[in-house]
């Protein structure tokens, strides 16, 4: 017997030690399993964050694609968690375009791979429990946090949620009958594509998505984009440089064809700091498979080797297409745009008449143009002397008073002087101005004389806006003739314009001068649009000795051709065209007024939960 220890107590200590060991092992099991759960949850959280942001990227484009968003989510999950994308993910149940209006519910996509079950939810409505942050609501809460439009946006179809549930075996808790545990995390992201706010104001927007030779200066012409106030001048070129899915052909190997020659032709974007300090953004400069950097432009023509293309182009991160303009002025259901519906152009066409024939109805929309009926223009006494009411000959001088007028002619030919003093004019067919003829629209003068344009200003100026709507055919002008269209939205429904160069004046001004009116008055419907044509026919502009174009020239489906003859032409217009070709030896300079253009979208994705 050991001195100092009572007989028979050795067994009691053994039991106590055994209990302590069990407690310690249990604590270690809990600590190890919780650490494992915590590490797995952290890894899964990173994966859901990346997947949600990757999914939202497919919703921030000009053509949002929910199915692609789901596929993006799975791609990110598979990469980050090192798993295989299963054959069935549920993504095929998502649409490839966003329905209009945004649906209140769409079945979620669910797929499983190994220990992971992935759920992709789109859209995420304001009342969804997915918008509940576990850090801001009690565990198990089924109600959402109040939506903050500044963070969460207002459009459910721009939000997407990714949830990952992970099953895992426990290391020690199985000793206590807990063989498996499941963790689940959810992340929500949204696209932040907004138009017409604080984005990049590009003077020239070239919208061809894949083709080559989309800017062509091979004909010795040049183009310069000036600074817009304190902001640099910008040229935005959206082509990926993969024509028909392959590289550019050898005959036109570059997206931007700024030819290496001795003629002095160049493409340049200037900034407040001087020539060549603006930006030329080219989508093709993005890495493959999205872009095709090797065929974006010829390195020999750009700095540091040369200044034919200046500055050296940089990648364009987002292709917006024509939607920055159409979202504002014709956000109809057919266009599937995310903004509040503003079907100004659709409404105008339906009221003024979409077919070639028939008297238009007055546009009586809220706070809109005068509701007086349209009249046949031949009902005006000034046409009594015309031998042919569709031809204004060299000796004819005609002034039509302000009002709503319908020109029921297959082609209105103007070789004399024709002045519409104000209001709205709808033509059945085309307008052609030739010889020394003059066509004037919305110029409130009292005589049938061609308005005077001095230093880009017409006299007299219009006090109210007007609309010139050509239902069919084009709008053309000869070299010595003049077109003066003041504070007017000119709409060619299916035709193109051809404004030949020469000594005559070409004056086109958008309806809303800077600072005249807020967005609630009538002019705001087409406030910045000078000319709108969605025809695929070529649009052409010749060098004019007296040219002034202010506002947006919107021809998103056309090749825009500028042909100069040694002239330097300055314009305040913003151009949206599919392609642009410069010929002759003229120089076209453009720098839109800051209030007379539409910004490209501010793009990005934002993790909101």
């Amino acid at each position: 017997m050991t001195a100092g220890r009572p007989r028979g107590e050795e067994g009691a200590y053994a039991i106590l030690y055994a209990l302590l060991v069990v407690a310690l092992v249990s604590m270690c099991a809990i600590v190890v399993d919780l650490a494992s759960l915590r590490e797995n949850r952290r890894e899964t959280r990173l994966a859901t964050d990346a997947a949600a942001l990757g999914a939202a990227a497919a919703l921030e484009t000009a053509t949002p694609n929910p199915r692609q968003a789901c596929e993006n989510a799975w791609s990110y999950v598979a990469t980050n968690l090192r798993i295989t994308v299963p054959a069935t993910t549920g993504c095929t149940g998502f649409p490839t375009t966003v329905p209009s209006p945004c649906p209140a519910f769409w079945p979620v996509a669910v797929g499983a791979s190994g220990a992971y079950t992935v759920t992709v939810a789109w859209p995420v409505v304001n009342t969804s429990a997915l918008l509940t942050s576990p850090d801001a609501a009690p565990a198990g809460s089924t109600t959402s946090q109040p939506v903050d439009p500044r963070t969460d946006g207002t459009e459910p179809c721009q939000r997407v949620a990714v949830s990952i549930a992970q099953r895992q075996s426990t290391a020690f808790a199985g000793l206590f009958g807990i063989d498996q545990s499941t963790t689940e995390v959810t992340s929500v992201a949204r696209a932040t594509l907004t138009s017409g706010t604080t984005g990049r104001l590009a003077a020239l927007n070239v919208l061809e998505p894949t083709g080559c030779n989309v800017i062509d200066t091979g004909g010795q012409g040049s183009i310069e984009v000036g600074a817009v106030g304190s902001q640099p001048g910008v040229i935005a070129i959206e082509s990926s440089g993969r024509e028909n899915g392959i590289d550019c052909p050898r005959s036109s190997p570059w997206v931007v064809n700024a030819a290496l020659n001795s003629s002095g032709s160049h493409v340049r974007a200037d900034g407040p700091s001087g020539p060549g300090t603006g930006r030329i953004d080219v989508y093709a400069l993005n890495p493959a498979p999205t872009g095709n950097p090797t065929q974006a432009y010829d390195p020999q023509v750009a700095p540091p080797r040369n200044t034919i293309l200046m500055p050296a182009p940089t990648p364009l991160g987002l292709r917006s297409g024509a939607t920055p303009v159409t979202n504002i002025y014709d956000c109809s259901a057919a266009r599937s745009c995310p903004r509040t519906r503003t079907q100004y152009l659709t409404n105008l066409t339906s009221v003024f008449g979409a077919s070639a024939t028939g008297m238009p109805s007055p546009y009586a929309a809220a706070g809109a143009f005068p509701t007086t009926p349209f009249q046949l223009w031949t009902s005006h006494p000034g046409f009594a002397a015309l031998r042919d009411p569709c031809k204004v000959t060299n000796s004819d001088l005609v002034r039509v008073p302000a009002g709503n007028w319908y020109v029921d002619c297959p082609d209105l030919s103007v070789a004399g002087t024709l002045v519409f003093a104000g209001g709205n004019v709808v033509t059945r067919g085309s307008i052609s101005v030739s010889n020394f003829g003059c066509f004037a629209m919305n110029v409130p003068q009292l005589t049938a004389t061609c308005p005077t344009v001095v230093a880009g200003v017409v006299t007299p100026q219009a006090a109210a806006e007007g609309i010139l709507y050509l239902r069919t055919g084009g709008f053309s002008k000869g070299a010595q003739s003049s077109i003066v269209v003041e504070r007017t939205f000119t709409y060619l429904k299916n035709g193109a314009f051809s404004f030949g160069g020469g000594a005559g004046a070409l004056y086109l001004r958008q309806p809303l001068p800077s600072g005249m009116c807020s967005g609630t008055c009538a002019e705001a419907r087409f406030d910045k649009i000078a000319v709108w044509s969605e025809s695929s026919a070529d649009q052409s502009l010749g060098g004019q000795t007296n040219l002034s174009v202010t506002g947006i020239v919107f021809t998103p489906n056309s090749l825009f051709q500028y042909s100069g003859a040694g002239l330097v032409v300055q314009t305040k217009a913003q151009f949206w065209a599919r392609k642009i070709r410069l010929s002759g030896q003229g120089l076209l300079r453009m720098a839109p007024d800051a209030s007379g253009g539409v910004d490209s979208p501010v793009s990005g994705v934002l993790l909101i939960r």
Side-chain angles (χ1 to χ4, degrees), residues 16-40:
L16 179 60
Y17 288 146
L19 292 173
L20 288 173
V21 168
V22 171
L24 288 171
V25 170
S26 299
M27 291 177 64
C28 290
I30 293 172
V31 170
V32 171
D33 286 337
L34 285 177
S36 177
L37 286 170
R38 187 178 296 110
E39 177 61 25
N40 289 341

Side-chain angles (χ1 to χ4, degrees), residues 49-442:
D49 287 350
L53 290 170
L59 303 176
E60 69 161 350
T61 66
T63 54
N65 188 332
R67 185 179 300 175
Q68 185 63 53
C70 182
E71 293 171 355
N72 285 2
W74 263 104
S75 177
Y76 277 88
V77 168
T79 298
N80 284 279
L81 297 180
R82 300 170 295 282
I83 61 175
T84 302
V85 177
T88 302
T89 62
C91 292
T92 55
F94 282 177
T96 56
T97 59
V98 176
S100 180
C102 178
F105 171 79
W106 201 279
V108 299
V110 182
S113 179
Y116 299 95
T117 299
V118 179
T119 302
V120 181
W122 171 93
V124 181
V125 298
N126 292 354
T127 56
S128 172
L130 293 169
L131 291 180
T132 298
S133 169
D135 300 324
S141 172
T142 58
T143 59
S144 64
Q145 295 171 235
V147 171
D148 182 353
R150 295 169 299 178
T151 301
D152 302 324
T154 58
E155 183 61 50
C157 277
Q158 290 180 339
R159 305 184 194 121
V160 60
V162 180
S163 300
I164 301 178
Q166 180 186 6
R167 302 184 317 275
Q168 64 183 76
S169 299
T170 57
F172 296 101
L175 298 172
F176 307 98
I178 305 174
D179 297 323
Q180 284 191 339
S181 64
T182 301
T183 60
E184 183 172 359
V185 294
T186 299
S187 299
V188 184
R190 75 174 181 95
T192 60
L193 180 67
T194 56
S195 299
T197 53
T198 57
R200 178 191 69 246
L201 182 63
L204 176 60
N205 299 270
V206 186
L207 305 179
E208 163 60 42
T210 61
C212 306
N213 208 28
V214 300
I215 292 186
D216 181 13
T217 64
Q220 302 181 2
S222 297
I223 187 168
E224 294 177 2
V225 169
V228 181
S230 60
Q231 300 300 314
V234 177
I235 300 173
I237 304 162
E238 300 201 351
S239 174
S240 65
R242 295 189 178 278
E243 195 166 86
N244 299 319
I246 58 176
D247 289 348
C248 297
R250 291 186 178 181
S251 59
S252 54
W254 312 112
V255 170
V256 183
N257 182 26
L260 188 65
N261 54 45
S262 58
S263 68
S265 68
H266 58 273
V267 175
R268 197 179 78 200
D270 300 335
S273 302
T277 60
R279 285 167 43 194
I280 301 175
D281 296 336
V282 186
Y283 189 79
L285 286 174
N286 287 291
T290 301
N292 191 4
T294 60
Q295 298 194 260
Y297 65 96
D298 184 353
Q300 295 185 81
V301 304
R305 301 186 187 181
N306 216 315
T307 58
I308 295 173
L309 181 63
M310 184 178 177
T314 53
L316 175 67
L318 172 70
R319 287 188 292 191
S320 64
T323 56
V325 177
T326 58
N327 280 5
I328 295 173
Y329 297 100
D330 195 27
C331 189
S332 61
R335 296 188 187 273
S336 299
C337 52
R339 297 173 61 93
T340 302
R341 304 290 175 245
T342 52
Q343 302 180 54
Y344 300 143
L345 191 59
T346 299
N347 292 341
L348 182 146
T349 304
S350 63
V351 174
F352 278 8
S355 62
T357 60
M359 184 74 75
S361 300
Y363 199 161
F369 297 99
T371 58
T372 55
F374 274 80
Q375 305 174 67
L376 281 173
W377 77 316
T378 51
S379 66
H380 182 261
F383 290 94
L386 295 181
R387 287 172 292 180
D388 184 337
C390 293
K391 291 184 179 180
V392 180
T393 63
N394 294 4
S395 59
D396 293 325
L397 302 175
V398 179
R399 175 190 176 274
V400 183
N404 288 338
W405 297 96
Y406 176 49
V407 180
D408 190 15
C409 295
D411 176 67
L412 174 60
S413 174
V414 181
T417 298
L418 174 60
V419 177
F420 287 92
N424 308 298
V425 176
V426 177
T427 69
R428 173 159 70 95
S430 58
I431 301 175
S432 56
V433 189
S434 60
N435 296 330
F436 289 88
C438 175
F439 174 89
M441 170 70 194
N442 202 23

Side-chain angles (χ1 to χ4, degrees), residues 222 224 541-549 562-572 586-590:
S222 297
E224 294 177 2
L541 172 66
Q544 322 279 324
T545 56
N546 192 357
L547 179 141
S548 176
V549 182
Y562 171 71
S563 56
L567 296 172
V568 177
V569 174
Q570 179 78 42
T571 174
K572 292 183 178 180
L587 169 62
L588 177 63
R589 288 178 177 160
M590 58 180 71

